[in-house]
Amino acid sequence: MSGSAPSRTERESRLLHALVELADTLVDDYDVVDVLHRLVEHCVRLLDATVAGLMLSDQRGGLRVVAYSSAQTRMLELFQVQASEGPCFDCVHSGEAVLVADLSKEVQRWPRFAPLAVEEGFASVHAVPMRLRRETIGTLNLFRKETGLLSDEDLLVVRALADTATIGILQERAIRRGEVVTEQLQTALNSRVVIEQAKGVLAFAGNLDMEQAFHALRGYARNGGRRLADVAREVVLGELRPEVVLSPRPTDL
């Protein structure tokens, strides 16, 4: 994890903040994609993890990358999708956590994914299922540059964050109207596609990398109290000019 580790008091305060923020999705209107991005960011801040990512199942039974703490995480997650192997796939298919202390010893298990992850400097991985009763809807994944497993206490934190986020996703208003779970998940996945397109537009217009473009997009949405996906859609359709989104604001993140 980058930077010095937080003290126990700081960590407990950050964990409480994260859980309260996620629990707000149970009682208030919210932006599901932004919530999931906050979740992976909380994981990196709270736990001994270098990067974190989140994948959800789509209507065809495949996995889609929805949130990630860095571009490097997204690349690792996408490679698992392309290779159809890796800890995330195993986690979703089994419904059980996949905990790997040393990726260099898992080449036979994941002949395409493991060498790439090691080459990128990662030594261990923890994939935790996002479950609704017996159905696994996705996986929360932590990658570390050091070998070894997280402590039991940290694993409880990961599971608590994953479970709270799962409840938040599935209790959206569409669920309360009786629509099926897969339709609600598809809304999040479709929003993710539009956001990626908007990031590309902003990156090109502002000569930015994709992470900088995302932070600009999210900052604009938050400052205006708007949904991230709605702002992204306006950028893609040309209804919102890139220079407006990229204009510096004092409260931008």
Side-chain angles (χ1 to χ4, degrees):
M1 183 165 56
S2 60
S4 58
S7 68
R8 187 172 185 85
T9 300
E10 291 173 331
R11 186 173 184 272
E12 290 176 352
S13 177
R14 291 180 187 180
L15 175 58
L16 179 61
H17 175 76
L19 290 173
V20 169
E21 186 176 78
L22 289 170
D24 281 345
T25 66
L26 302 179
V27 295
D28 197 8
D29 193 21
Y30 68 99
D31 186 334
V32 64
V33 176
D34 193 36
V35 166
L36 297 181
H37 268 282
R38 293 187 194 187
L39 170 62
V40 296
E41 290 169 354
H42 283 313
C43 286
V44 173
R45 294 191 186 110
L46 286 166
L47 305 164
D48 187 18
T50 307
V51 295
L54 188 147
M55 303 175 79
L56 292 178
S57 298
D58 61 22
Q59 290 181 327
R60 297 178 298 277
L63 282 179
R64 298 263 296 277
V65 182
V66 176
Y68 44 87
S69 65
S70 71
Q72 193 178 29
T73 324
R74 182 171 185 264
M75 182 274 295
L76 285 171
E77 304 283 48
L78 286 174
F79 190 80
Q80 291 187 77
V81 173
Q82 294 166 357
S84 297
E85 67 171 40
C88 305
F89 268 83
D90 289 0
C91 178
V92 169
H93 292 155
S94 69
E96 301 294 333
V98 176
L99 312 177
V100 178
D102 189 347
L103 275 167
S104 67
K105 297 180 179 179
E106 301 295 334
V107 175
Q108 185 173 359
R109 183 180 185 182
W110 303 311
R112 288 169 289 183
F113 171 76
L116 176 69
V118 171
E119 183 179 337
E120 289 294 317
F122 294 104
S124 57
V125 63
H126 299 69
V128 177
M130 299 178 68
R131 284 192 301 239
L132 173 65
R133 301 183 182 90
R134 296 184 180 181
E135 180 182 2
T136 302
I137 66 166
T139 173
L140 177 59
N141 316 299
L142 309 181
F143 295 91
R144 304 170 68 236
K145 290 188 177 294
E146 301 81 20
T147 57
L149 298 179
L150 293 175
S151 66
D152 290 342
E153 181 178 288
D154 277 359
L155 283 173
L156 286 175
V157 171
V158 178
R159 289 190 173 101
L161 292 172
D163 289 346
T164 306
T166 302
I167 294 169
I169 293 170
L170 300 180
Q171 66 83 46
E172 266 264 58
R173 292 179 180 179
I175 298 300
R176 292 201 296 269
R177 290 196 302 267
E179 297 180 16
V180 296
V181 168
T182 52
E183 290 179 356
Q184 178 60 22
L185 294 176
Q186 195 63 40
T187 299
L189 295 169
N190 291 341
S191 296
R192 178 75 256 166
V193 172
V194 175
I195 289 167
E196 290 297 324
Q197 292 172 340
K199 284 166 53 181
V201 172
L202 295 177
F204 178 79
N207 193 26
L208 306 172
D209 63 35
M210 295 297 275
E211 287 189 59
Q212 290 172 321
F214 175 73
H215 285 300
L217 183 69
R218 185 165 70 170
Y220 183 89
R222 286 186 179 179
N223 286 331
R226 302 188 58 201
R227 287 178 176 269
L228 185 60
D230 291 342
V231 173
R233 191 170 293 106
E234 291 179 9
V235 171
V236 172
L237 294 175
E239 298 171 357
L240 179 61
R241 298 194 307 276
E243 57 267 28
V244 175
V245 178
L246 297 175
S247 297
R249 295 165 180 251
T251 56
D252 276 351
L253 295 180

